[in-house]
């Protein structure tokens, strides 16, 4: 299977509420549609992860990020522009995301993925995914 075919198959699974295992820019992670409560909940169940431990959202562009947070502080823009390594930023208020992606106070951790298969997958989908390491919660 080519990379393009793998991305199409992964995108189809995600669009149907599935959970996939994919290489992100930092780890191999379990990923799902960040807007789909049931799909995100599947990751919590698979990992046996406490619901109060929110996960990270991955986006593929600044424009996508702008659509899912209420504001992007200038310091965040500066940090993203200067970062040479994958950098996750906690934003005060996530919008249009599944309720189980954001913390109780509405904040959300988001990372702009700049390259690789994960970046191509998110671009293909046109919306963010949630990701969490593939291990069981609390295990190596």
């Amino acid at each position: 299977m080519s990379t393009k075919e793998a991305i199409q198959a992964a995108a189809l699974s995600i669009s149907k509420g599935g959970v996939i295992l994919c290489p992100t820019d930092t780890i191999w992670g379990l990923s799902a549609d960040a807007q789909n409560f049931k799909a995100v909940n599947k990751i919590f169940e698979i990992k046996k992860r406490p619901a109060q431990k929110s996960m990270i959202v991955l986006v593929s562009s600044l424009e996508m990020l702008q659509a899912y947070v209420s504001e992007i502080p200038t310091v965040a823009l500066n940090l993203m522009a200067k970062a040479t390594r994958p950098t996750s930023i906690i934003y005060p208020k996530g919008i249009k995301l599944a309720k189980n992606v954001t913390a109780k106070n509405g904040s959300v951790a988001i990372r702009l993925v700049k390259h690789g298969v994960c970046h191509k997958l998110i671009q293909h989908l046109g919306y963010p995914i949630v990701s969490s390491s593939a291990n069981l919660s609390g295990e190596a």
Side-chain angles (χ1 to χ4, degrees), residues 7 23-27 58-61 83-87 111-123:
I7 288 170
T24 71
D25 53 344
T26 58
I27 58 163
L58 304 177
V59 298
S60 63
S61 67
T84 58
R85 298 176 62 201
T87 304
R111 185 169 66 244
L112 173 59
V113 179
K114 298 178 180 178
H115 54 78
V117 172
C118 187
H119 174 81
K120 290 176 185 172
L121 171 62
I122 300 165
Q123 278 188 314

Side-chain angles (χ1 to χ4, degrees), residues 14-122:
I14 288 173
S15 70
K16 291 181 175 182
V19 174
I20 65 162
L21 177 65
C22 71
T24 71
D25 53 344
T26 58
I27 58 163
W28 276 84
L30 295 173
S31 296
D33 179 349
Q35 303 167 103
N36 183 325
F37 183 90
K38 288 181 181 179
V40 172
N41 200 49
K42 287 179 189 176
I43 296 176
F44 280 106
E45 291 172 1
I46 292 167
K47 289 183 58 70
K48 299 180 175 136
R49 184 180 175 108
Q52 66 271 20
K53 277 185 86 175
S54 48
M55 290 181 256
I56 191 160
V57 172
L58 304 177
V59 298
S60 63
S61 67
L62 184 57
E63 293 76 24
M64 187 180 290
L65 172 64
Q66 290 170 326
Y68 291 93
V69 294
S70 61
E71 67 174 296
I72 302 174
T74 303
V75 67
L77 290 170
N78 292 338
L79 184 58
M80 283 185 284
K82 293 177 183 174
T84 58
R85 298 176 62 201
T87 304
S88 302
I89 299 173
I90 299 174
Y91 294 88
K93 185 175 181 198
I95 56 174
K96 298 191 288 184
L97 295 166
K99 192 170 181 86
N100 53 353
V101 170
T102 58
K104 284 185 180 183
N105 67 0
S107 65
V108 62
I110 300 180
R111 185 169 66 244
L112 173 59
V113 179
K114 298 178 180 178
H115 54 78
V117 172
C118 187
H119 174 81
K120 290 176 185 172
L121 171 62
I122 300 165

